[in-house]
Amino acid sequence: MSSASFSAIVTQLTDGQTPPVWSLLVTVFGELAQEDGAQISGQMLRHISELIGIKPEAMRVALHRLRKDGWTQNQRTGRTSSYSLTDWGRAQSAAASPRIYAPCATAGSAWLVLCDPARPTQQDETAGVWLNANTQITSQLPQHPDRFATLLDAGTPLPDWMKAGVCSPQTREAAAAFHKTLTALQDRLSRHGTLAPLEQATLRILLVHTWRRIILKTPDLPDFVFPDNWRGPACRAQMVALLALFPKPDLAALAHSIDA
Amino acid sequence: MSSASFSAIVTQLTDGQTPPVWSLLVTVFGELAQEDGAQISGQMLRHISELIGIKPEAMRVALHRLRKDGWTQNQRTGRTSSYSLTDWGRAQSAAASPRIYAPCATAGSAWLVLCDPARPTQQDETAGVWLNANTQITSQLPQHPDRFATLLDAGTPLPDWMKAGVCSPQTREAAAAFHKTLTALQDRLSRHGTLAPLEQATLRILLVHTWRRIILKTPDLPDFVFPDNWRGPACRAQMVALLALFPKPDLAALAHSIDA
């Protein structure tokens, strides 16, 4: 693909703005180097940054912060540096991956849970979402006898206000915009030639990065509890199709393509 | 039965206090003269009042208020007065009767309903009980699409705080006390002789009156949503047994027994 064509794809996916580098690097490591022992060379990071339009200085600052925050560690061999996830960073990445890459919602069931209004609860003690101080929708049946729980299924009529409480208008807007972007992108990709390995890796990184920042802002619940205008399932289906169409390049082959 | 024996029964049932006469008269008409055209003579009311320990003046005041409130109407034949329910009074009485005389809970099902917390609701628009501003247990499935509803059944585990919201501690205490009274009364009635027709009518009136003031303070819901220490079902079973043991005297036969 021509440099201008790929640049247009990047502009489309980033909405013309450089994404926050620290957060983007978390995606890069999760996508390319989540396996134990996998390393990314400084050279590869520079190439990817360049394709996305990130300045070398911004990349260096973000890499330093990532290491300080315990996500990554550096290895130095002669004059070249390489980077890998720490065990902790790898665990964070692995925990998020199922939801990011899943072809369907990862939560199978949803429970509507009512807590005693007279007793404030630790709202973060379980997964799911709180509709108000004592009403929760969660994928896990609470064990506490103080909780009332009823199973919701795809046939349960849920009023709009209840679904609206499941994810914020901002996240819904982001999904709707991403849905449009993906539709336009599929069109553009079908009209242009094949991608070089590094372009393909970068395309995947940008796709996963945007999707990750949408899907991880929503509770892990079945699709049927989400608002009717939630485009998450549509985005997910398009992500699955695009990631299959542009599979993950092997890290060694990718390194080789840069050296060549 | 001796006058002293019956007086002891009255004391037991009224806890030694004269019940509010207006409210007691509502019970008297509901119990003895709910049929269209049924009349109670002033003479019969005086006899019943006397057995219960109500002063004639208190009875006259209450009768006057009942008529002013639209419950009853007076008929005068020569020197004797008789009283009957108005159509409106009869309708009120008939509406309450099923719950008062039912051998089991009149509501078959219970729905837990959640309303939009952002929209204040007309809390009195449907039957049932409100656990808080937006949570209701009701016997009728709400039709409004704004409501979430889930069916509760006897197997649904309900937390204590939820059951506690169904009826007040005061009503629970009243039911527990009435349960004790009924147990003692059954013992007393089995040890003493038979009742005269007017005594039997008065016994029923006092039983129905106390029970009415308990059961009508609770929402019309199945027993399984009530707190574990709710003695309503036990009272109801004892009421059914006692009312069967001491059936309702025919109004004409009762009038005849007074004249005799």
Side-chain angles (χ1 to χ4, degrees), chain B residues 42-63:
Chain B
Q43 191 188 15
M44 193 186 295
L45 286 177
R46 276 191 299 277
H47 276 85
I48 292 171
S49 301
E50 200 180 324
L51 279 176
I52 299 175
I54 296 168
K55 297 209 171 70
E57 176 58 19
M59 174 64 78
R60 268 195 297 276
V61 169
L63 272 172

Side-chain angles (χ1 to χ4, degrees), chain A residues 158-172:
Chain A
L158 297 179
D160 290 341
W161 63 266
M162 193 173 265
K163 291 178 174 179
V166 170
C167 83
S168 73
Q170 291 77 3
T171 305
R172 272 180 269 168

Side-chain angles (χ1 to χ4, degrees), chain B:
Chain B
M1 185 175 278
S2 74
S3 164
S5 291
F6 190 75
S7 177
I9 288 173
V10 169
T11 303
Q12 196 160 35
L13 270 171
T14 58
D15 212 10
Q17 296 183 317
T18 313
V21 187
W22 184 92
S23 170
L24 186 81
L25 279 175
V26 168
T27 305
V28 169
F29 281 96
E31 164 74 6
L32 289 181
Q34 200 177 116
E35 295 78 43
D36 196 6
Q39 298 188 348
I40 306 182
S41 67
Q43 191 188 15
M44 193 186 295
L45 286 177
R46 276 191 299 277
H47 276 85
I48 292 171
S49 301
E50 200 180 324
L51 279 176
I52 299 175
I54 296 168
K55 297 209 171 70
E57 176 58 19
M59 174 64 78
R60 268 195 297 276
V61 169
L63 272 172
H64 180 73
R65 216 187 111 200
L66 260 190
R67 190 174 62 167
K68 237 185 73 188
D69 292 348
W71 275 85
T72 56
Q73 54 205 1
N74 299 7
Q75 292 84 25
R76 184 164 264 284
T77 317
R79 285 170 54 207
T80 65
S81 277
S82 62
Y83 307 85
S84 62
L85 286 170
T86 60
D87 288 343
W88 182 84
R90 185 173 298 108
Q92 307 308 306
S93 200
S97 282
R99 294 201 68 205
I100 298 169
Y101 294 96
C104 55
T106 44
S109 50
W111 297 87
L112 181 78
V113 176
L114 265 72
C115 304
D116 185 353
R119 291 198 197 180
T121 48
Q122 299 288 331
Q123 291 215 354
D124 52 2
E125 72 189 58
T126 49
V129 68
W130 290 85
L131 301 178
N132 59 44
N134 73 310
T135 312
Q136 185 193 26
I137 299 179
T138 171
S139 60
Q140 285 170 357
L141 176 62
Q143 297 304 314
H144 201 292
D146 216 28
R147 306 287 161 87
F148 167 82
T150 186
L151 188 66
L152 308 175
D153 64 39
T156 311
L158 297 179
D160 290 342
W161 63 266
M162 192 174 267
K163 292 179 174 180
V166 170
C167 85
S168 73
Q170 290 78 3
T171 306
R172 273 179 269 169
E173 279 161 28
F178 190 47
H179 178 53
K180 275 188 192 158
T181 300
L182 289 171
T183 307
L185 189 69
Q186 277 176 320
D187 182 52
R188 186 185 288 270
L189 284 166
S190 66
R191 279 188 285 110
H192 293 279
T194 51
L195 299 178
L198 195 70
E199 288 175 338
Q200 186 154 323
T202 304
L203 171 70
R204 286 180 60 97
I205 285 163
L206 289 177
L207 285 170
V208 167
H209 185 67
T210 309
W211 176 232
R212 169 170 87 81
R213 287 158 66 88
I214 293 169
I215 192 64
L216 296 185
K217 282 208 183 84
T218 69
D220 188 13
L221 291 172
D223 290 336
F224 60 79
V225 303
F226 281 79
D228 296 340
N229 66 352
W230 163 241
R231 292 288 162 265
C235 291
R236 190 196 287 128
Q238 284 172 308
M239 280 294 292
V240 168
L242 278 167
L243 293 184
L245 214 54
F246 299 98
K248 190 183 292 201
D250 177 68
L251 194 56
L254 197 57
H256 187 73
S257 82
I258 294 170
D259 292 338

Side-chain angles (χ1 to χ4, degrees), chain A residues 108-113 131 136-138 149-159 162 166 221-222 224-225, chain B residues 148-150:
Chain A
S109 50
W111 297 87
L112 181 78
V113 176
L131 301 178
Q136 185 192 28
I137 300 180
T138 172
T150 185
L151 187 66
L152 308 176
D153 64 41
T156 313
L158 297 179
M162 193 173 265
V166 170
L221 291 171
F224 61 80
V225 303
Chain B
F148 167 82
T150 186

Side-chain angles (χ1 to χ4, degrees), chain A residues 146-230:
Chain A
D146 216 27
R147 307 288 161 88
F148 168 81
T150 185
L151 187 66
L152 308 176
D153 64 41
T156 313
L158 297 179
D160 290 341
W161 63 266
M162 193 173 265
K163 291 178 174 179
V166 170
C167 83
S168 73
Q170 291 77 3
T171 305
R172 272 180 269 168
E173 280 162 27
F178 190 46
H179 178 53
K180 276 188 193 160
T181 300
L182 289 172
T183 307
L185 189 68
Q186 277 176 321
D187 183 51
R188 185 185 288 271
L189 284 166
S190 66
R191 280 188 286 111
H192 293 279
T194 52
L195 298 178
L198 195 70
E199 289 175 339
Q200 187 154 323
T202 305
L203 171 70
R204 287 180 60 98
I205 286 163
L206 289 177
L207 286 170
V208 167
H209 184 67
T210 310
W211 176 234
R212 169 169 87 81
R213 285 158 68 89
I214 294 169
I215 192 65
L216 297 185
K217 280 207 183 85
T218 69
D220 189 13
L221 291 171
D223 291 335
F224 61 80
V225 303
F226 282 80
D228 296 340
N229 66 352
W230 163 239

